[in-house]
Amino acid sequence: MDMERKLAAVMATDIVGFAGLVSRDETGTLERLERLKCDVIEMLVGAHRGRVFKSTGDGFLAEFSSTMEAVSCAVGIQRASALAALQSGNEEVFVLRVGVSVGDVVVQGDDLLADGVNVAARLEAMAEPGGIAVSGDVMAQIKGKVDLPLEDCGYKRLKDTDAQIHVYMTQSSPGKVAGFLDFDEEDLAKMIIQGGCLCGAIRYEVHAPPISTGYCHCSCCRKFSGSMVNAWTAFPRSAFRFLHEEPSYVTSSPIAERGFCSKCGASLTYKMVRPGKTAYLVVHTSSLDEPGNFAPSVHSGIESKISWFDILDDLPRTRSSDSKVLQEAWASVGLPDPETWGPWPSRRMYFDEVGTIDLRASLHMPKISAETSAQPRH
């Protein structure tokens, strides 16, 4: 029988000593497992353009089309777990092992089978608590490209019946948090990224490095930011929180909401709402306290770039239609043709005949009078 095969990077995770944690506090442990699944595993896998294809109770298997993305996701998961352990001050914390392999897999519906999956599971079992283990094939693809302290541990086998695997692993050091990420309070303070609006009413902080950065030239971003180009930085949602007030939101197109401060008007965030919740949140780089640390790495929406405005650099330039994420989002609202994308297809959905926002009630805005409605639109 013909079987569908493909090459994939596979990541396997597992919680150390999970049975013991359940025996001591079943309800609390299962609640924390659900938060780990939703707020860390699924979010970070999605943010790195991967897919969780199997859950084994306290373990998860995910596939990625890019080995680099798989390893970056593994580092993000261990960093999030280590930070959660440090911040909680609780002895009953989750400590994970993670393994990453790349190889041939067999597709069976939503599931994946064969050596590519089996090797990832073997590597996960070999990893130290709080650590990451990767195969020699993975190491060959990420060497010099990922800042991860991996040591050559030679060829190993988990069971006598297994084939030997060339293993590279992180090595833990004694400290407050198990694993190769040994944070202390000073490290934690340095790692927190902060930002906010012009008047200071809205403040936020992020406990993870950005997923990506860039410039956007699309017409939606131009109109919302009031600039010829908008610099953006994307962070994992699970690592992002508002400290006091949250922004007000406006549905700027059928697929996205944008956040702003209702007191000073500062543009702050962008989040996609179609076809579902995304794993990341985009902020205006200018709203960060130290925007100089987040240089753009790509130009997007280049089809809408203003002809008399240019940035002379050698960064990659992409069109909105090149994005699979945008393709899926716009198709989900019945607009698969890129020529229909932008603020204008949704104009009648969110703006009335005098150009006022239909979301006034949710934003606590007063009803616009007839005299006001005679003013020019902006």
Side-chain angles (χ1 to χ4, degrees):
M1 182 176 65
D2 291 337
M3 294 182 292
E4 181 185 350
R5 293 180 175 272
K6 65 179 181 180
L7 188 67
V10 179
M11 181 189 72
T13 71
D14 189 66
I15 298 173
V16 179
F18 184 74
L21 293 171
V22 171
S23 67
R24 291 188 290 275
D25 179 13
E26 180 179 283
T27 301
T29 299
L30 294 179
E31 287 176 351
R32 287 191 290 127
L33 176 62
E34 184 63 23
R35 290 197 298 270
L36 174 73
K37 174 187 174 184
C38 297
D39 297 342
V40 177
I41 303 294
E42 291 182 342
M43 284 293 190
L44 285 174
V45 168
H48 288 85
R49 290 162 283 280
R51 177 182 73 94
V52 176
F53 64 88
K54 182 179 291 184
S55 171
T56 57
D58 64 314
F60 301 91
L61 289 164
E63 67 159 327
F64 303 81
S65 58
S66 162
T67 305
M68 289 281 293
E69 294 277 28
V71 174
S72 295
C73 182
V75 174
I77 287 171
Q78 290 294 36
R79 179 178 285 110
S81 300
L83 287 172
L86 178 62
Q87 293 168 329
S88 70
N90 187 347
E91 293 183 358
E92 300 288 1
V93 298
F94 286 157
V95 178
L96 279 67
R97 294 187 178 97
V98 183
V100 182
S101 71
V102 60
D104 188 54
V105 297
V106 175
V107 180
Q108 284 196 350
D110 293 332
D111 199 5
L112 300 179
L113 305 170
D115 283 348
V117 179
N118 296 336
V119 171
R122 299 288 191 269
L123 288 164
E124 173 269 306
M126 294 179 191
E128 290 190 343
I132 299 170
V134 307
S135 66
D137 290 337
V138 170
M139 187 65 181
Q141 294 190 32
I142 68 170
K143 189 174 182 179
K145 301 176 182 177
V146 177
D147 184 17
L148 183 63
L150 293 166
E151 296 189 16
D152 189 343
C153 298
Y155 286 83
K156 295 179 177 288
R157 57 163 58 97
L158 185 63
K159 301 177 182 178
D160 291 339
T161 55
D162 289 342
Q164 287 191 333
I165 306 170
H166 193 179
V167 180
Y168 291 81
M169 291 194 298
T170 57
Q171 299 292 314
S172 63
S173 58
K176 192 171 182 179
V177 178
F180 69 100
L181 293 165
D182 186 20
F183 299 124
D184 58 24
E185 296 293 342
E186 184 178 351
D187 293 328
L188 181 61
K190 292 178 181 177
M191 200 169 297
I192 295 175
I193 299 167
Q194 296 183 320
C197 67
L198 179 64
C199 71
I202 298 174
R203 296 288 299 166
Y204 62 78
E205 65 181 25
V206 193
H207 295 266
I211 300 168
S212 55
T213 61
Y215 294 109
C216 187
H217 298 263
C218 81
S219 53
C220 279
C221 285
R222 288 207 317 267
K223 290 181 179 297
F224 191 74
S225 65
S227 174
M228 291 300 97
V229 65
N230 179 40
W232 55 266
T233 303
F235 294 100
R237 278 197 189 208
S238 57
F240 190 101
R241 72 187 184 100
F242 291 102
L243 300 180
H244 305 294
E245 297 183 30
E246 286 210 17
S248 297
Y249 295 96
V250 62
T251 304
S252 56
S253 76
I255 67 167
E257 291 180 351
R258 296 175 186 265
F260 63 95
C261 175
S262 59
K263 295 179 180 177
C264 66
S267 301
L268 294 169
T269 65
Y270 167 91
K271 60 181 179 181
M272 294 183 67
V273 295
R274 296 288 185 275
K277 186 177 181 180
T278 56
Y280 56 86
L281 180 70
V282 177
V283 303
H284 289 252
T285 303
S286 57
S287 72
L288 293 164
D289 288 352
E290 299 182 8
N293 295 335
F294 303 89
S297 59
V298 66
H299 289 267
S300 58
I302 201 70
E303 74 283 352
S304 300
K305 188 182 77 67
I306 299 299
S307 60
W308 48 260
F309 177 85
D310 202 1
I311 298 174
L312 302 178
D313 58 33
D314 57 357
L315 296 179
R317 282 160 161 73
T318 64
R319 302 175 64 85
S320 296
S321 58
D322 296 330
S323 169
K324 292 183 179 180
V325 173
L326 289 177
Q327 291 172 13
E328 181 181 3
W330 283 104
S332 72
V333 295
L335 296 170
D337 183 0
E339 293 297 323
T340 66
W341 297 358
W344 305 122
S346 61
R347 189 182 186 98
R348 284 174 294 182
M349 300 167 64
Y350 306 113
F351 295 85
D352 64 22
E353 69 273 11
V354 295
T356 57
I357 299 175
D358 285 338
L359 301 178
R360 283 186 297 265
S362 65
L363 297 178
H364 308 292
M365 297 174 65
K367 181 71 176 179
I368 295 178
S369 65
E371 179 181 353
T372 305
S373 66
Q375 298 299 316
R377 298 177 187 176
H378 296 282

